[in-house]
Amino acid sequence: MRIVGGSLRGRKLLAPEGQAIRPTADRVRESIFNILAHGIAGPQIEGARVIDLFAGTGAMGLEALSRGASFCLFVDDSALSRGLIRGNADALGVTGQTRLFRRDATRLGQSSAGQFDLAFLDPPYGKGLARATLAELREGGWLNAGAVL
């Protein structure tokens, strides 16, 4: 796994062993960021505040930082994931632009970290977590008007 675009392009990311964490593939990340940059009206990545829920390795949020986002909050309740995210942020030199919450994304509560322009979430399959997480983002005041999820 590597960062596919921006100032950190080509830099390697720590990846998990086994199947416990499903990192977003390089090509998928590239496609998502191409859509964000060229395919939809919405917030600009440059200067955006990003929240990466069910963050896993942090690849989505780190990709956003590489492409000019100003800040990323990573949310994951897995110790393995949080270790990978810390290691990746340290290796890329972006620790000062990040924060890491040990939290269940379906129980965010009221935002204590401000509001976000861009939200990434890729919950485990078949558990119905996306709907609950989207409700938490809305009800907890986590998103700016016009945010893209």
Side-chain angles (χ1 to χ4, degrees), residues 33 35-50 64 67-71 116-118 146-148:
F33 280 93
I35 291 167
L36 289 171
H38 308 292
I40 62 171
Q44 299 295 313
I45 297 169
E46 185 73 33
R49 288 180 43 84
V50 176
R67 293 166 184 257
S70 63
F71 176 79
F116 296 89
D117 307 301
L118 187 57
V148 172

Side-chain angles (χ1 to χ4, degrees), residues 18-119:
Q19 299 297 315
I21 299 172
R22 308 169 287 107
T24 306
D26 295 0
R27 285 187 182 207
V28 172
R29 277 186 281 117
E30 184 173 26
S31 294
I32 290 169
F33 280 93
N34 282 339
I35 291 167
L36 289 171
H38 308 292
I40 62 171
Q44 299 295 313
I45 297 169
E46 185 73 33
R49 288 180 43 84
V50 176
I51 185 168
D52 187 351
L53 302 136
F54 305 98
T57 63
M60 292 299 294
L62 294 167
E63 190 75 45
L65 290 171
S66 177
R67 293 166 184 257
S70 63
F71 176 79
C72 184
L73 173 64
F74 297 97
V75 179
D76 207 298
D77 61 358
S78 160
L80 175 59
S81 290
R82 291 190 311 275
L84 288 168
I85 294 164
R86 276 190 199 100
N88 282 326
D90 287 345
L92 296 174
V94 297
T95 304
Q97 295 173 265
T98 67
R99 193 162 171 205
L100 181 57
F101 276 7
R102 174 187 170 189
R103 194 172 293 179
D104 177 344
T106 66
R107 295 187 176 135
L108 293 171
Q110 291 297 310
S111 176
S112 61
Q115 293 185 312
F116 296 89
D117 307 301
L118 187 57

